[in-house]
């Protein structure tokens, strides 16, 4: 089974390992993410009904209301936060959401994580060294 | 990030523990985005979102200090919160201070909001309580740096007034209000304020509804990039730009846009793009307008029992117009009309007699909140109508209530008849 290595920049330090959940469209905090459960509640979103808790969250960026980070903050306090966050587009919303999640977070990758990571892949994040290792769940 | 000696001293505790925590958060934030330095901000606007767990202190600020430390400074350690350094106002919280029972807000939420308001007032966190702080005096001049929350207000700050802000979160505005500073990155820098997409507007975009639909359609396409609208023949009012801003920040994450010949950094298309080529050229015509309109109609039942107006909050002009439409009339049985405005505007509406006209017709002017923030609607609401793409979009997600979207006139008519008769 091959591994794919991505290199990027640290947003918040630390290491984590877990299963990926990949948001292929941006979601909003307000109206998009349930503060209690970490569930995606926007019916228009492909991840509707799924939870980000205990997963390596891979996303392009944030959208919607400025309470985006507050939703991630509440989700963390309610024990429903992700294990790590990987994103492409740095907006204040996205960056603050990642910082207040108190988990390893990275951005600025050499390879777009959305192009190689799929739901269910095993992902190891080492934000301090700027390395992400992806083990595919299915061989393509 | 390079810090001045003053900033280093703040970090090290010269202004107390809370300011040190605030500076620590700004440093984590600035380092994460690669900012070179911090800049001084002239105004801060920040929301109040209760956690439902903070119990009001009886003449005691300890619960507020714990709440503020966690949610505004990202600190699980509770520190004493001092007076703010920056000119700071609140955006929304969960209740109207007078009509909270009509709103359906619980006694518990009321008591928490009341307590937090008192504590915010004590530290100089001013009670504007509006998503549209620019309607009540928080207006930057071109080039002024701000730290604003509220996704609908940010594009107006950047695009229309020429102020400079990113869409901050509660935590970063908390740190900004105690220090008067924010990392210098994103929309604070010239190079990030140039257009990405050229939008060739082929349809006559005239009404507030047209502007809301255009913002909604384009926001979905460009997400967080900067659209440059070209071919606008009719000068939009501030209200129309408010609909456009709020819509583009709901379907997407638009924090800035340009309108060639209208907004201050788009004297020409070339200045808007900073002599770069557009990444793509988008068309906005009648088909796109219709597409956005249809996506916002999540209702199918024409019986409407709740009409919500004032997202973003209304100015006195819209309240005046509604009072004229309602003069001598009454809304339908089982119908509810809630009009949202800043408390300072409501005070004027009271003196002008508009509030009395609207109340006589069976409606309410509510302040300081909105249905999506409070998560309350009139009892028995099954279908609602609004003139706001943002409210239509979010109410469907948050409250699972289907929406009819249309003009202010369509909505007032729906309140009077209890039926939706708006058409594209």
């Amino acid at each position: 089974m091959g591994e794919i290595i991505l290199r990027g920049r640290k947003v918040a330090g630390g290491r984590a390992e877990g299963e990926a959940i990949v948001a292929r469209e941006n979601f909003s905090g307000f109206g998009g993410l349930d503060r209690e459960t970490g569930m995606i509640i926007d019916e228009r979103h492909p991840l509707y009904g799924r939870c980000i808790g205990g997963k390596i969250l891979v996303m392009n960026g944030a959208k919607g209301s400025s309470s985006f980070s507050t939703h991630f903050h509440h989700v963390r306090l309610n024990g429903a936060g992700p294990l790590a966050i990987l994103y492409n587009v740095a907006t204040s919303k996205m960056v603050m959401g990642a910082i207040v999640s108190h988990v390893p977070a990275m951005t600025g990758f050499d390879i777009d994580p959305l192009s190689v990571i799929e739901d269910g892949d095993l992902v190891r994040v080492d934000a301090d060294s700027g390395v992400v290792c992806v083990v595919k769940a299915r061989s393509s | 990030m390079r810090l001045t000696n003053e900033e280093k001293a703040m970090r090290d505790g010269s202004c107390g523990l809370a300011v040190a925590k605030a500076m620590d958060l700004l440093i984590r934030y600035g380092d994460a985005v690669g900012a070179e330095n911090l800049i001084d901000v002239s105004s801060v606007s920040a929301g109040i979102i209760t956690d439902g767990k903070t119990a009001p202190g009886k003449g005691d600020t300890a619960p507020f200090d714990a709440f503020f430390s966690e949610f505004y400074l990202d600190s699980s350690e509770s520190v004493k919160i001092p007076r703010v350094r920056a000119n700071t106002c609140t955006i929304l919280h969960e209740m109207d201070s007078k009509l909270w029972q009509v709103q359906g807000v619980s006694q518990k939420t009321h008591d928490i909001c009341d307590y937090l308001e008192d504590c915010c007032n004590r530290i100089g966190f001013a009670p504007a309580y509006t998503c549209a702080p620019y309607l009540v005096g928080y207006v930057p001049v071109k080039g002024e740096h701000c730290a604003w929350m509220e996704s609908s207000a940010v594009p107006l700050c950047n695009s229309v007034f020429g102020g400079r802000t990113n869409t901050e979160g509660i935590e970063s505005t908390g740190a900004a209000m105690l220090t008067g500073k924010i990392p210098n990155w994103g929309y604070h820098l010239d190079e990030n304020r140039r257009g990405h997409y050229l939008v060739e507007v082929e349809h006559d975009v005239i009404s507030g509804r047209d502007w809301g639909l255009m913002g909604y359609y384009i926001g979905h396409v460009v997400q967080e990039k900067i659209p440059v609208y070209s071919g606008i023949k009719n000068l939009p009012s501030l209200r129309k730009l408010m609909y456009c801003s709020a819509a583009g920040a709901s379907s997407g994450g638009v924090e800035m846009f340009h309108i060639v010949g209208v907004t201050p950094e788009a004297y020409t298309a070339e200045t808007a793009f900073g002599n770069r080529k557009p990444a793509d050229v988008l068309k906005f015509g009648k088909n796109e307008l219709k597409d956005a309109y249809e996506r916002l109609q999540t209702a199918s039942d024409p019986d409407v029992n709740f009409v919500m107006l004032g997202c973003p909050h209304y100015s006195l002009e819209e309240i005046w117009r509604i009072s004229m439409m309602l003069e001598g009339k009454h809304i339908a049985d089982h119908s509810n009309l809630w009009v949202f405005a800043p408390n300072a505007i409501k005070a004027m509406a009271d003196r002008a007699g508009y509030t009395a006209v609207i109340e006589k017709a069976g409606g309410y002017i509510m302040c300081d909140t909105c249905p999506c923030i409070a998560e309350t609607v009139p009892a028995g609401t099954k279908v609602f109508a609004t003139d706001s793409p943002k409210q239509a979009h979010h109410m469907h997600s948050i409250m699972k209530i289907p929406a009819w979207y249309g003009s202010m006139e369509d909505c007032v008519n729906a309140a009077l008849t209890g039926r939706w008769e708006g058409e594209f």
Side-chain angles (χ1 to χ4, degrees):
Chain A
M1 212 49 163
E3 292 183 349
I4 303 166
I5 303 292
L6 283 67
R7 289 176 198 283
R9 190 166 57 75
K10 174 181 89 170
V11 172
R15 292 182 191 185
E17 176 176 331
E19 196 183 297
I21 183 165
V22 184
R24 300 209 170 272
E25 280 182 25
N26 294 351
F27 60 85
S28 173
F30 178 61
L33 180 65
D34 184 71
R35 301 195 323 192
E36 301 293 324
T37 61
M39 185 189 284
I40 303 292
I41 53 166
D42 183 351
E43 286 177 24
R44 302 168 185 86
H45 196 274
L47 293 181
Y48 173 66
R50 307 230 351 243
C51 290
I52 62 172
K55 301 271 169 63
I56 307 287
L57 177 60
V58 183
M59 57 205 293
N60 196 49
K63 75 167 187 177
S65 162
S66 55
S67 63
F68 188 85
S69 61
T70 313
H71 281 74
F72 275 77
H73 202 141
H74 279 286
V75 163
R76 189 236 316 155
L77 294 174
N78 289 321
L83 296 174
I85 302 174
L86 312 178
Y87 64 84
N88 285 326
V89 181
T91 55
S92 305
K93 280 179 273 193
M94 187 64 247
V95 175
M96 286 313 299
I99 288 176
V100 302
S101 292
H102 293 193
V103 291
M106 288 175 59
T107 189
F109 295 99
D110 55 351
I111 305 167
D112 178 0
L114 293 167
S115 72
V116 293
I117 306 177
E118 292 169 278
D119 282 349
D121 288 353
L122 177 68
V123 179
R124 290 190 200 102
V125 178
D126 183 344
D128 298 317
S129 324
V131 177
V132 172
C133 174
V134 183
V135 182
K136 300 298 291 178
R138 286 169 303 187
S139 49
S140 50
Chain B
M1 201 162 52
R2 272 194 335 267
L3 298 180
T4 63
N5 288 337
E6 184 207 9
E7 290 160 357
K8 283 179 192 158
M10 289 163 95
R11 176 197 63 192
D12 297 338
S14 69
C15 300
L17 205 48
V19 172
K21 295 270 185 197
M23 198 51 85
D24 171 68
L25 178 57
L26 292 179
I27 293 168
R28 279 189 278 149
Y29 174 19
D31 285 342
V33 296
E36 288 184 3
N37 59 312
L38 297 171
I39 41 166
D40 293 337
V41 291
S42 62
S43 67
V44 177
S45 67
I48 310 272
I49 297 177
T50 59
D51 58 354
K53 296 175 185 118
T54 299
K58 295 188 179 80
D60 170 17
T61 60
F64 173 73
D65 291 337
F67 168 76
F68 196 103
S69 299
E70 179 63 61
F71 290 105
Y72 291 76
L73 298 175
D74 189 30
S75 164
S76 55
E77 180 196 348
S78 178
V79 293
K80 179 79 190 152
I81 306 304
R83 283 184 173 275
V84 298
R85 283 189 161 226
N87 174 33
T88 302
C89 72
T90 54
I91 50 173
L92 298 176
H93 70 168
E94 292 168 49
M95 67 161 194
D96 180 299
S97 58
K98 296 190 181 73
L99 296 172
W100 58 278
Q101 283 162 316
V102 175
Q103 237 189 303
V105 166
S106 69
Q107 182 73 45
K108 184 182 169 205
T109 300
H110 165 269
D111 293 349
I112 295 171
C113 288
D114 224 27
Y115 169 69
L116 293 178
E117 176 169 348
D118 183 48
C119 294
C120 289
N121 287 339
R122 283 168 195 242
I123 64 163
F125 188 1
Y129 289 111
T130 177
C131 52
Y134 47 86
L135 291 180
V136 295
Y138 295 86
V139 185
V141 298
K142 187 166 176 283
E144 227 172 21
H145 294 283
C146 309
W148 283 15
M149 277 186 72
E150 178 45 44
S151 61
S152 69
V154 164
L156 286 165
C157 176
N158 281 322
S159 319
V160 177
F161 307 128
R164 295 183 173 216
T165 185
N166 295 304
T167 303
E168 298 298 345
I170 282 194
E171 300 84 0
S172 52
T173 49
M177 70 179 87
L178 296 191
T179 59
K181 292 166 189 296
I182 204 78
N184 188 17
W185 80 290
Y187 291 96
H188 294 288
L189 301 170
D190 287 342
E191 62 265 30
N192 298 322
R193 298 173 64 84
R194 309 293 178 227
H196 298 111
Y197 291 97
L198 180 65
V199 182
E200 291 180 343
V201 181
E202 296 174 350
H203 181 76
D204 268 352
V205 175
I206 299 170
S207 66
R209 199 190 74 167
D210 291 346
W211 277 92
L213 290 172
M214 184 160 77
Y216 194 72
Y217 182 88
I218 295 298
H220 184 69
V221 178
V222 307
Q223 290 294 311
E224 69 289 326
K225 297 281 196 255
I226 302 177
V228 179
Y229 296 103
S230 134
I232 297 296
K233 299 190 191 82
N234 299 279
L235 189 67
S237 63
L238 179 63
R239 184 74 217 167
K240 292 171 189 176
L241 297 173
M242 287 164 70
Y243 286 124
C244 180
S245 291
S250 302
S251 60
V254 175
E255 297 184 35
M256 184 165 187
F257 57 85
H258 297 284
I259 305 171
V260 176
V262 176
T263 54
E265 291 170 51
Y267 189 64
T268 62
E270 288 70 30
T271 53
F273 283 104
N275 296 318
R276 278 191 318 210
K277 277 202 159 52
D280 204 353
V281 179
L282 308 170
K283 187 174 88 93
F284 189 80
K286 197 166 182 184
N287 289 340
E288 287 75 20
L289 194 77
K290 191 154 197 248
D291 179 86
Y293 181 81
E294 283 167 359
R295 262 190 284 150
L296 283 167
Q297 313 298 347
T298 45
S300 52
D301 181 350
D303 287 335
V304 173
N305 44 6
F306 177 36
V307 174
M308 183 278 171
L309 297 170
C311 167
H313 276 177
Y314 271 171
S315 71
L316 197 66
E317 179 183 350
E318 290 81 38
I319 293 174
W320 166 58
R321 291 189 189 286
I322 288 174
S323 74
M324 287 193 291
M325 287 185 238
L326 292 175
E327 181 95 57
K329 295 178 184 161
H330 201 278
I331 63 172
D333 290 348
H334 313 298
S335 184
N336 297 276
L337 172 65
W338 292 1
V339 180
F340 290 82
N343 56 60
I345 300 279
K346 165 98 183 309
M348 269 200 290
D350 291 350
R351 288 180 70 171
Y354 307 149
T355 310
V357 171
I358 291 169
E359 286 180 355
K360 203 173 170 196
Y364 290 103
I365 301 180
M366 292 186 177
C367 306
D368 305 353
T369 189
C370 86
C372 276
I373 291 287
E375 298 194 18
T376 61
V377 293
T381 298
K382 290 194 178 65
V383 174
F384 91 113
T386 184
D387 65 341
S388 163
K390 177 176 181 171
Q391 200 73 203
H393 181 98
H394 287 310
M395 191 88 102
H396 181 63
S397 313
I398 296 171
M399 309 283 288
K400 306 293 174 207
I401 298 172
W404 289 112
Y405 166 76
S407 66
M408 185 209 285
E409 291 75 12
D410 289 339
C411 291
V412 171
N413 184 52
L416 290 170
T417 63
R419 283 182 73 77
W420 182 256
E421 290 163 351
E423 285 175 6
F424 177 66

